[in-house]
Amino acid sequence: RASVAAAPLAAWVKANLKYSSVLEKIAPLEEDLRELSESLDTSRTRMAQCKQDLVDLDKQVVDLKNEFSRRTGEAEALKLSLKKAEDQLNAAERLLGKLGGEKSRWEEQVTTLETELTSLTRDSLLAAGFIAHLPSLPEDQRQGALAQWTSFLGVERFDLRRFMSTESEMLTWKAEGLPGDELSMENAIVILNSAQAPLIIDPSTQASQWLKAHVAKDEKSALEVVTMHDKRFANKLELAVRFGKTLIIEEVDKIEPILYNVIRKDFERQGLRLMVQVGDKTVDYNESFRMYLVTRNPYPVIPPSAASIISEVNFTVTRSGLEGQLLGLVIQHEQPELEKQKSHLLQVEEDLKVQLAGLEKTLLETLATSTGNILENEQLITSLDETKAKGTTVKESLEESTTLQLSLDEQRNAYRPIAAQGSKLYFLMRDLRALNHMYQFSLNSFILLFKKALHESTPSSALERRIEMLSAALLRLVFGQVSRSIFNSDRLTFGMHFTRHLAAEDADETHWNYYFGLEAADGSGGRG
């Protein structure tokens, strides 16, 4: 039988036995758990340490990246600085090289300008004196007066054409129909620069034709051509003065009273208006008004009252001037390319000088307005490069032009004998007016004969032979033309006059006098 008191005890023992058995089983597990917990704590500590190390490493990486970027930036900056320094060094070398060449040229220009500035007042005085006093004189008297003036003022050489004009302008005038001789060019300068109204003495009408062509190209001023015998002359003069036209008055045999007030510029001021008396009317004076008087009469009668208020410009042909014109005609017919080459060379030379002056002006403006580092001014260096290249081109072109012009002048001068012969024949024709006033031979008619001789003479490859044939053809045409134009009673005188001057070298003065019956061959008294 079971004991009631022992039953709980037995249950307790059994429970302890079971607990002891469980403890025996759990103890190793608890030890493992403890070890694992310790290992977990160690791992967690290690992980925390690694995380901190990772954060530190990330920070170091960021710092290193920043340092790398800074160092890379510094390296790029150094590269840029090095490239900039190299560019500046190259620019400095180029600048020194270009400015070194420019310095030499500028020094030459300064010396030239100083010389020109020193003589500017004297050259201006000579130009003013020429325009005021010499246009009415023939070419030889002009040269004599200029020689005296330059000697008195101590001027080595004075050329009105170079002082008052340019090659480009003179080429333009020549293209407009103005003869290319020195006298015509000087007269053109006087006409365009004179403060007084010019009276143009133009027997050949070449100057008046050029003036019309030249003025007609000016779009700012209307051209009006009128003669003194025009019934509406007074009205046209009044309208030209009022509206600022350019008035060319032809066939001016004398200065009419209606012109005096306009020529003298006897102005009356009414408020802001300038008034001038034209005939019986007082009209507004337009400051754009220009007036040119033209006459074909080589010996116009100009009263003292008019001589002081006009500028007389004499286009009466001279022997040397006509020789130059005829030489141009011969070259144009025989070797037209020579004249074209010379004109082209002069035009190119003038254009290059203008371009060089423009580049120099741009360069100096850039130097004057340059700010900051001059070595970084690309515009300045580019301008220097262009100026240097253009200067070299101009220099080479000028040297080539000078050489070619000398060659062309030599080729031109080869035809000068026929031009001199033609000039002599024309003036011998002009001498016939001493026999009879009707014996008037115009320059235009002679030039037509000269051109006819050029076309009719037989061509020849030998230059000397060609000149001989041209001379013979011209003499035949002139002699035939004059012989048909004069009275029979004057033909012998004409023939002897031509013979005396065309063959002057074939005999001495004594034999010529004997030939004309002025004295005997033995020197005894002659007969008239």
Side-chain angles (χ1 to χ4, degrees), residues 102-113 395:
E102 292 298 310
K103 179 185 176 183
S104 303
R105 194 159 55 82
W106 287 343
E107 287 177 347
E108 294 177 0
Q109 288 185 348
V110 167
T111 303
T112 303
L113 289 174
K395 185 177 180 180

Side-chain angles (χ1 to χ4, degrees), residues 130-143:
F130 189 105
I131 293 174
H133 300 290
L134 300 186
S136 61
L137 301 179
E139 192 172 13
D140 54 345
Q141 295 184 27
R142 292 184 185 186
Q143 294 175 352

